[in-house]
Amino acid sequence: MPTDPFVPSTPSGLSTPPPDPFGWIDEEARRRERSGLVRTLRPRSADSALLDLASNDYLGLTHHPVTTGAAAEAARRWGAGATGSRLVTGTTALHAELERELADFCGFEAALVLSSGYAANLAVLTALTGRGSLVVSDAANHASIVDGCRLSRAETVVVPHADPAAVDKTLEAHEGVRALAVSDSVFSVDGDAAPLARLAEVCRTRGAALVVDDAHGLGVLGDGGRGAVHAAGLAGDPGTVATVTLSKSLGSQGGAVLGPARVIDQLVNTARSFIFDTGLAPAAVGAALASLRLLRADPSLAVRARAVAHALHHGLTGAGLTAARPDAAVVSVRAPSPAAAVRWAADCRAAGLVVGCFRPPSVPDGISRLRLTARADLTDLQVQSALATIIATAPAGSAPAGSAPDGADGV
């Protein structure tokens, strides 16, 4: 009987199964399960009754009727998608309008909208560096910055967290090399702010550019929520570039780069994550533009988000829990172990509260924690309810012996 030419055979003619090209994935999955590090997708319903302290909707604008109405109108007018890359058919008049208003609000000469904040960081770090150049990166920077550094082909030196002296020393050791320093403005795990003014001074002295990811600063920090870069007096600085996301305080989707016009032109011509990516969908552009205008009209939104964060911190530390002081809208609460953090988050959810859960290897310091995000639309009663739930479900070892909850202050 002839053998099937498409089935590998042994010399004796017996068929043998081909090697499994993804067999290694099974062992990886078993390793993750043994370590308790399996990630799962958990679809949420549109009308969930859970109190949300896990999302990045800092100003509570995602469901604002003006924001959703603008998204719907943009989709009706411009279509469901951008139809192509920004350089072909993916730029609408709405994109240009958002770029003008973002640049004006944040105090920069020009802006460029991309499909995500992740793409914005990749664009900046690859278009402004290259072989023979230097990138100095904070050890706690976001994964998108880490990946941008890897793709840049520049020499990357990772320096200790929030340490301008280490940045200065590194730049001094590479004198004469085209260089930039890059840092988050507000770090997403603990919510602490970078020393931007001192970093800018170091970069200015050494002739290096400064790139700041202001994803967690826009809408929360600075005059009227103009961001951490604006608050540090660096808006419009000729040596400073900022990246932002439209998916946090602006309640939409997408990202943007803010900076000198010549930097934006460089990105348009050379940034692969801009050139070869489909433009941001008109609905997301319309929603972001509407939210930006809401923020501009009501600067108290930024003040409220910060006040809620401080109320959460005060209530948690008053109960004896270890919580990092928030510089923006992120409040980090230490857990005694990775397993305890997972159980704590699950117990909160069972009690009607959604919180973030960060643990190794996602956190570089190895400390497991709950991550809470303040929102400007939370009421005092909701803040008090959230505090009561977190404190009541805290695992053993989360607070010193003898500590007792003392409730939450109004905000």
Side-chain angles (χ1 to χ4, degrees):
M1 178 182 295
T3 59
D4 186 337
F6 297 104
V7 178
S9 301
T10 62
S12 62
L14 297 175
S15 296
T16 59
D20 181 357
F22 296 121
W24 59 273
I25 290 180
D26 298 333
E27 179 52 39
E28 286 284 300
R30 287 189 288 268
R31 180 186 59 79
R32 283 193 295 271
E33 188 170 3
R34 288 194 300 269
S35 302
L37 297 174
V38 176
R39 293 180 171 94
T40 57
L41 296 175
R42 191 193 298 267
R44 61 182 175 88
S45 63
D47 56 352
S48 173
L50 295 172
L51 179 58
D52 173 22
L53 262 69
S55 76
N56 292 317
D57 185 20
Y58 296 139
L59 304 183
L61 297 180
T62 295
H63 293 285
H64 194 289
V66 171
T67 301
T68 56
E73 175 58 29
R76 281 192 293 266
R77 182 177 182 189
W78 297 101
T83 75
S85 71
R86 289 288 309 273
L87 289 171
V88 184
T89 58
T91 296
T92 69
L94 203 58
H95 288 78
E97 194 172 359
L98 175 59
E99 287 166 344
R100 285 193 300 269
E101 294 200 23
L102 262 178
D104 180 69
F105 180 73
C106 296
F108 284 88
E109 188 176 8
L112 185 68
V113 168
L114 294 91
S115 61
S116 70
Y118 206 112
N121 278 337
L122 296 187
V124 169
L125 291 167
T126 56
L128 300 184
T129 63
R131 295 189 190 278
S133 62
L134 172 72
V135 178
V136 185
S137 179
D138 189 289
N141 277 340
H142 188 263
S144 58
I145 295 176
V146 174
D147 288 352
C149 291
R150 291 169 176 168
L151 289 171
S152 72
R153 302 184 181 182
E155 178 184 355
T156 299
V157 177
V158 178
V159 294
H161 176 50
D163 190 344
V167 175
D168 185 44
K169 184 176 181 181
T170 303
L171 291 173
E172 182 182 26
H174 293 77
E175 188 176 358
V177 174
R178 176 159 58 98
L180 67 78
V182 59
S183 176
D184 285 333
S185 65
V186 177
F187 294 89
S188 62
V189 175
D190 271 341
D192 58 316
L196 294 183
R198 285 188 289 151
L199 286 172
E201 183 180 358
V202 166
C203 289
R204 204 173 292 121
T205 300
R206 299 296 178 188
L210 175 62
V211 173
V212 181
D213 179 350
D214 205 14
H216 298 275
L218 178 65
V220 179
L221 298 179
D223 179 25
R226 285 171 170 79
V229 178
H230 191 281
L234 299 175
D237 180 80
T240 300
V241 176
T243 61
V244 296
T245 179
L246 312 178
S247 62
K248 295 181 171 61
S249 287
L250 298 186
S252 181
Q253 190 77 22
V257 181
L258 308 165
R262 61 180 177 174
V263 168
I264 300 305
D265 184 65
Q266 169 73 1
L267 266 61
V268 169
N269 283 277
T270 66
R272 294 172 67 86
S273 63
F274 172 80
I275 295 170
F276 298 105
D277 194 16
T278 298
L280 185 62
V285 178
L289 183 57
S291 289
L292 181 63
R293 290 170 177 170
L294 287 170
L295 173 59
R296 191 163 209 160
D298 186 4
S300 70
L301 287 170
V303 177
R304 173 67 183 179
R306 296 195 302 270
V308 170
H310 285 291
L312 289 169
H313 175 259
H314 178 77
L316 293 167
T317 55
L321 299 177
T322 303
R325 181 181 62 83
D327 287 330
V330 174
V331 182
S332 172
V333 194
R334 184 172 295 198
S337 70
V342 173
R343 287 195 304 272
W344 197 358
D347 289 343
C348 284
R349 188 179 188 90
L353 175 68
V354 182
V355 297
C357 177
F358 281 31
R359 55 205 166 110
S362 297
V363 287
D365 60 8
I367 298 172
S368 296
R369 43 173 67 80
L370 297 189
R371 178 182 180 272
L372 317 177
T373 51
R375 294 204 328 268
D377 62 333
L378 291 177
T379 67
D380 292 359
L381 185 61
Q382 287 174 318
V383 172
Q384 293 166 8
S385 174
L387 283 168
T389 297
I390 296 165
I391 294 165
T393 56
S398 298
S403 61
D406 64 352
D409 285 355
V411 291

